[in-house]
Amino acid sequence: MLESLVRDLRSDRAGLIRAARRAYLLGLAALTLPGLVLGAVLALTRPAPVPFAAVLALLALALVLALVVLRLARRAASTPEVPARQAALTGAIQAATAPGVALLLACATLSQGVSVLLFVVLAAGLHLVVWAQLPGWVREPDAVN
């Protein structure tokens, strides 16, 4: 996977989009896989359920944080002072935290089915938004890179 990432980084804009998407997925996996393990361990301890009002507040917080992250990632990807390849990877990796936070909250409430479902639905929606917007953030690669 890393070889193809490096090959795509040295390619044209379409390759750079593929590289940015791979970097995004790697960033998302790096965030959520440890959370899934810790969530499973936490679920085995049978914690007290999180009140539904708190779950709704956490959903709102996750959405607000995701919107802020998306704005910052878009800004990082469009910074003209940074080479296009670096900007694309920076924006993609930062964008991974948008659905990543919702998935981490799903892992934290793994023992509550409805809570997990709500956080996973939010994360899936955010993932689709990032996946659709990411190509628009990628500039044409610089000739000197």
Side-chain angles (χ1 to χ4, degrees), residues 46-78:
R46 300 201 186 265
V50 178
F52 193 69
V55 170
L56 292 178
L58 287 172
L59 275 168
L61 178 63
L63 180 60
V64 168
L65 288 174
L67 294 175
V68 170
V69 162
L70 288 175
R71 181 171 181 229
L72 293 174
R74 187 177 314 118
R75 185 184 308 164
S78 64

Side-chain angles (χ1 to χ4, degrees), residues 49-52 54-56 59 102 105-121:
V50 178
F52 193 69
V55 170
L56 292 178
L59 275 168
L105 288 170
C107 293
T109 59
L110 208 53
S111 62
Q112 297 176 248
V114 174
S115 299
V116 172
L117 180 65
L118 291 172
F119 286 119
V120 168
V121 166

Side-chain angles (χ1 to χ4, degrees), residues 11 43 55 63 77 90 96 138-139 141 145:
S11 182
V55 170
L63 180 60
T90 301
V138 176
R139 302 188 316 254
N145 286 340

